[in-house]
Structure formats: structure tokens, C-alpha cells
Amino acid sequence: MEQMLLSGSSVVVASAISSACVAASSAGRSSSLQLECVRRSLSLVGIGCEGNRRFVGSRPELLGSRLLERASGVARVSAGQTSSGSDASQGLAIFYNYALAFNPAKSRLALEEKNIKYVETKIDLFNGQSLEPWYLRLNPSASAPTLVVGDEKITESVEIIRWADRQGAPLGGDSVDRAFVDEWLNKVDAWDGNLFAAANSPAGAALKYSTEYKFKVAEANAKRNPDMAELYKEKISTLKKNYIDEPNDEAVCDANRQQLRVLLDEAETRLATNKFLAGPAYSAADAIFTPVIYRIYLLKKDGEYLSSRPNIKRYYEEIKKRPSYKKVFSVSDSALASAGEVLPAVGQVLFATLTGKY
């Protein structure tokens, strides 16, 4: 499934304003207008002009250009190095990720907890990059994550978690309930966190606009690649179902919310006697569940879903201290980093919309 952004709806709204900056710049209008647009956009995500100066030093005018210069194809080695060439990926797993998305966070937590070295390559889910022919051939669902290990490619987050857990001793070893871990992975994977976000976020209009833009990208790519026309047709149908039809179907949304409550109730019961979900040690069950709780807090639904579940709240405070958590959610936890991730993509979206070149 296409990924719903992990960052808050304010970033989506801000990015829509900031897209005007790119259009103004490409039309030859003044850089002062571009800067003003960026400032106005960042104010919507809680970053004022004074805050901007803290990040960029004595030259706040650099902020807009730095955000807009972020490249979408940079590969990052998990140890912290960066590389734009293929040498970095030689012999390593390649992880196609979008830092603000829900499902990739699950599998990346497992990769980090297992200390698996990998090359992280951004695949932009906002600007239609995931619909490009090369990626659609790699992952026919045009989603993230995708893990490529030699000749093997894994396109489902839960299967990436399982792959990571098979590398050496599994997380938690013999101290955890391995039967529960396997069952829990299936249960959490069956819950649609993207539908939950779409149905419980005020960014419905922005989501509809983004989805309709992707329709046009898919249609244009289908014309350029007639051998893939049927695959693009299926993708358009899936996008419509996931992001227009189902979020507006109250019965479907109610079932999704009830499914979440059942998961939370089971977790609350287990955490009453266990430090982690499967026992005394962190396991793959915790990796797949952490983004679920993160999403609840992100959508400001913790009062509704977690106030009566103190064991989950206590557990989550401990989870947040782990290095893996800090690494995986560092971008979505930062308004500036989130804006830097989204703004260039929205500029591309607006440019395509204005020119009709998809």
C-alpha cells in the first residue's frame, strides 16, 4: 500500500504553501518572495523566523535553498556515512525508505536493533517517484519499504522484519515467547495504519489532491511505458480505494478503529506482567508495534486510545530511549527536518501541475 506520511498534517499544509516558492523561482520571480514563502510555510509547522536563524546561523536566507536542495536519490549507509554512488551498496542490503512513512519505520527498527549494515536509499512517496517505471518493476505496489539483498527483493515490511530477525540470533533470543512474536507480527501487519491516519487526520483535502496528482503521474507513465499499462491501471485503482473510497466509508473506518482497540487491549494485558511484549527482552514484536503507538501520538489520539492503558504508556516511554527509536524517528520528530523532506517534493508536484508535464 502507498504510505501515508508519518509527519503531521501541518507539514502537508505548509508544503502546499511552499510549493508556490518553487513555482515563483522557476518563473523568474524574486528570491525574496521565495524566502517569504518558506518562512510562512515553516511557521505552520512551528518554526518561526528566529528559530530558523538558530538552524542556519547568521544567514537565514540560506534556509530555503538548503531545504529545496535536498536530493531524493542519495544513498545513506546505516553506519552514518553517505554515498551517491554504487560503491557504498556493494555487498550490503539496500533499503528503499521514506523517512516520514509508517510501514518503513517498522522494518527499519528491526534492521537497527539487529545492527544490520544496509544502504538506505530514499524513495519519495510524495512526489510520485515511487511510480517511476524502474521502481514499479522493483516493487509492483509502488510503496515503501523495499529491501534488496543480492538477488532477493522483499517488498513487505513484516517480511523484512522476519528476514532481519533470521540474521544471527533472533531479537530476544530464548527469553521471549517466539510463538507470540510470530502471531503478533501477523496481527499488527493486518491493521492498516495508513487508513487510520487518513480517516483521523484533518488533512483530507491535501491527501485527495496528492492522490489525484498520482493518478496523473501513473497515467503519464503508462502512456510512456505501454508494456506496464495494466500495472499502472491496477495502481490507480488501489490508490482510489485506499485514499479516497475507504477513508470516506464509515463502516470501514469503524472496523479499523476496533481492530486497533483489540491490539491495544492485548498489548496492555501482556505489558502488565512483561517489560516488553513477548517477555523480558526486546523482540521483533516490539519493532512492529512501536510505529503504531507513534502514529497514535502523532495524530493526537493518545487521550482516546492510551489514557486507559497505562502499561502501554509506561512501555512507550522506555521504548523511546532506545537508539533505534531515535534514529528511525529523528526526521519525523523534527519540524525542520520534516519540512526539508517534504518541501522539495511539493515544489515538484506544483511544477508538474502547472506545466501539465507528469
Side-chain angles (χ1 to χ4, degrees), residues 66-123:
R66 286 184 180 179
L67 290 177
L68 298 171
E69 281 170 0
R70 290 178 63 97
S72 62
V74 173
R76 298 176 180 85
V77 180
S78 58
Q81 299 170 267
T82 61
S83 173
S84 58
S86 59
D87 291 344
S89 62
Q90 190 171 3
L92 296 177
I94 303 172
F95 183 62
Y96 291 89
N97 181 41
Y98 188 62
L100 304 179
F102 176 64
N103 286 325
K106 304 173 188 174
S107 43
R108 191 177 176 208
L109 282 168
L111 293 171
E112 292 294 333
E113 286 286 344
K114 289 299 297 284
N115 293 313
I116 295 170
K117 288 198 69 175
Y118 60 91
V119 174
E120 179 192 3
T121 299
K122 177 181 173 181
I123 188 72

Side-chain angles (χ1 to χ4, degrees), residues 77-295:
V77 180
S78 58
Q81 299 170 267
T82 61
S83 173
S84 58
S86 59
D87 291 344
S89 62
Q90 190 171 3
L92 296 177
I94 303 172
F95 183 62
Y96 291 89
N97 181 41
Y98 188 62
L100 304 179
F102 176 64
N103 286 325
K106 304 173 188 174
S107 43
R108 191 177 176 208
L109 282 168
L111 293 171
E112 292 294 333
E113 286 286 344
K114 289 299 297 284
N115 293 313
I116 295 170
K117 288 198 69 175
Y118 60 91
V119 174
E120 179 192 3
T121 299
K122 177 181 173 181
I123 188 72
D124 201 310
L125 300 176
F126 194 98
N127 68 2
Q129 185 187 19
S130 63
L131 291 166
E132 291 181 5
W134 70 269
Y135 190 73
L136 199 61
R137 289 188 178 98
L138 184 67
N139 184 333
S141 68
S143 64
T146 300
L147 185 73
V148 178
V149 188
D151 295 330
E152 183 181 10
K153 61 179 180 181
I154 311 172
T155 59
E156 296 291 336
S157 57
V158 68
E159 295 307 323
I160 295 174
I161 293 173
R162 287 193 165 104
W163 175 87
D165 217 27
R166 291 194 298 268
Q167 309 310 304
L171 289 169
D174 294 334
S175 69
V176 302
D177 184 342
R178 305 233 56 86
F180 166 78
V181 170
D182 191 58
E183 179 185 3
W184 187 250
L185 289 177
N186 290 331
K187 285 182 178 179
V188 178
D189 183 59
W191 178 70
D192 191 343
N194 292 315
L195 172 60
F196 182 74
N200 292 278
S201 168
L207 181 60
K208 183 174 183 291
Y209 176 83
S210 172
T211 302
E212 290 173 346
Y213 163 78
K214 289 174 185 176
F215 289 167
K216 295 175 182 177
V217 171
E219 289 166 355
N221 280 326
K223 289 179 181 178
R224 289 190 288 266
N225 302 272
D227 60 312
M228 301 178 70
E230 195 59 34
L231 192 55
Y232 279 111
K233 182 179 178 181
E234 292 174 10
K235 184 58 187 174
I236 290 171
S237 178
T238 302
L239 282 168
K240 182 176 181 297
K241 172 179 174 285
N242 291 341
Y243 291 109
I244 295 180
D245 296 342
E246 288 191 345
N248 292 301
D249 186 325
E250 195 55 37
V252 171
C253 294
D254 282 344
N256 176 266
R257 287 187 281 264
Q258 180 57 28
Q259 189 179 4
L260 174 60
R261 293 187 189 99
V262 171
L263 283 174
L264 295 174
D265 284 342
E266 184 173 358
E268 179 70 9
T269 298
R270 293 192 65 87
L271 292 169
T273 55
N274 293 322
K275 181 177 181 181
F276 296 98
L277 285 168
Y282 187 102
S283 72
D286 303 294
I288 200 170
F289 189 55
T290 297
V292 174
I293 312 175
Y294 186 92
R295 175 142 292 189

